[in-house]
PDB file of all heavy atoms in Angstrom:
ATOM      1  N   PRO B1068       9.319  61.185 -74.299  1.00  0.00           N
ATOM      2  CA  PRO B1068      10.675  61.496 -73.839  1.00  0.00           C
ATOM      3  C   PRO B1068      11.657  61.022 -74.922  1.00  0.00           C
ATOM      4  O   PRO B1068      11.369  60.028 -75.609  1.00  0.00           O
ATOM      5  CB  PRO B1068      10.836  60.659 -72.567  1.00  0.00           C
ATOM      6  CG  PRO B1068       9.451  60.288 -72.146  1.00  0.00           C
ATOM      7  CD  PRO B1068       8.608  60.267 -73.378  1.00  0.00           C
ATOM      8  N   GLU B1184      -5.449  14.726 -57.646  1.00  0.00           N
ATOM      9  CA  GLU B1184      -6.896  14.959 -57.484  1.00  0.00           C
ATOM     10  C   GLU B1184      -7.585  15.073 -58.837  1.00  0.00           C
ATOM     11  O   GLU B1184      -8.697  14.567 -59.035  1.00  0.00           O
ATOM     12  CB  GLU B1184      -7.120  16.238 -56.654  1.00  0.00           C
ATOM     13  CG  GLU B1184      -6.790  16.042 -55.165  1.00  0.00           C
ATOM     14  CD  GLU B1184      -6.878  17.322 -54.333  1.00  0.00           C
ATOM     15  OE1 GLU B1184      -7.296  18.376 -54.870  1.00  0.00           O
ATOM     16  OE2 GLU B1184      -6.520  17.263 -53.147  1.00  0.00           O
ATOM     17  N   ASP B1328       7.799  23.733 -88.812  1.00  0.00           N
ATOM     18  CA  ASP B1328       9.193  23.401 -89.137  1.00  0.00           C
ATOM     19  C   ASP B1328       9.606  22.053 -88.554  1.00  0.00           C
ATOM     20  O   ASP B1328      10.262  21.249 -89.211  1.00  0.00           O
ATOM     21  CB  ASP B1328      10.142  24.486 -88.587  1.00  0.00           C
ATOM     22  CG  ASP B1328      10.212  25.699 -89.508  1.00  0.00           C
ATOM     23  OD1 ASP B1328       9.768  25.583 -90.673  1.00  0.00           O
ATOM     24  OD2 ASP B1328      10.707  26.754 -89.064  1.00  0.00           O
ATOM     25  N   ARG B1354      -7.025  25.917-103.642  1.00  0.00           N
ATOM     26  CA  ARG B1354      -6.351  25.567-104.898  1.00  0.00           C
ATOM     27  C   ARG B1354      -4.888  25.195-104.645  1.00  0.00           C
ATOM     28  O   ARG B1354      -4.343  24.290-105.273  1.00  0.00           O
ATOM     29  CB  ARG B1354      -6.425  26.741-105.876  1.00  0.00           C
ATOM     30  CG  ARG B1354      -7.834  26.915-106.435  1.00  0.00           C
ATOM     31  CD  ARG B1354      -7.905  28.016-107.483  1.00  0.00           C
ATOM     32  NE  ARG B1354      -9.244  28.062-108.041  1.00  0.00           N
ATOM     33  CZ  ARG B1354     -10.037  29.148-108.041  1.00  0.00           C
ATOM     34  NH1 ARG B1354      -9.596  30.290-107.537  1.00  0.00           N
ATOM     35  NH2 ARG B1354     -11.239  29.085-108.552  1.00  0.00           N
ATOM     36  N   ALA B1457      15.690  14.316 -88.110  1.00  0.00           N
ATOM     37  CA  ALA B1457      14.820  13.388 -88.841  1.00  0.00           C
ATOM     38  C   ALA B1457      14.654  12.108 -88.019  1.00  0.00           C
ATOM     39  O   ALA B1457      15.626  11.571 -87.495  1.00  0.00           O
ATOM     40  CB  ALA B1457      15.420  13.071 -90.200  1.00  0.00           C
ATOM     41  N   LYS B1466       7.384  14.179-101.018  1.00  0.00           N
ATOM     42  CA  LYS B1466       7.572  14.379-102.455  1.00  0.00           C
ATOM     43  C   LYS B1466       9.035  14.103-102.778  1.00  0.00           C
ATOM     44  O   LYS B1466       9.914  14.348-101.948  1.00  0.00           O
ATOM     45  CB  LYS B1466       7.252  15.833-102.838  1.00  0.00           C
ATOM     46  CG  LYS B1466       5.832  16.274-102.559  1.00  0.00           C
ATOM     47  CD  LYS B1466       5.000  16.273-103.823  1.00  0.00           C
ATOM     48  CE  LYS B1466       3.551  16.646-103.504  1.00  0.00           C
ATOM     49  NZ  LYS B1466       2.614  16.119-104.474  1.00  0.00           N
ATOM     50  N   LEU B1582     -28.578  80.630 -78.552  1.00  0.00           N
ATOM     51  CA  LEU B1582     -30.017  80.784 -78.381  1.00  0.00           C
ATOM     52  C   LEU B1582     -30.437  82.031 -79.139  1.00  0.00           C
ATOM     53  O   LEU B1582     -30.086  83.149 -78.771  1.00  0.00           O
ATOM     54  CB  LEU B1582     -30.326  80.908 -76.887  1.00  0.00           C
ATOM     55  CG  LEU B1582     -31.720  80.513 -76.451  1.00  0.00           C
ATOM     56  CD1 LEU B1582     -32.050  79.082 -76.855  1.00  0.00           C
ATOM     57  CD2 LEU B1582     -31.838  80.654 -74.944  1.00  0.00           C
TER      58      LEU B1582
END
Side-chain angles (χ1 to χ4, degrees):
Chain B
E1184 287 175 5
D1328 279 345
R1354 287 184 176 123
K1466 299 258 177 205
L1582 204 57

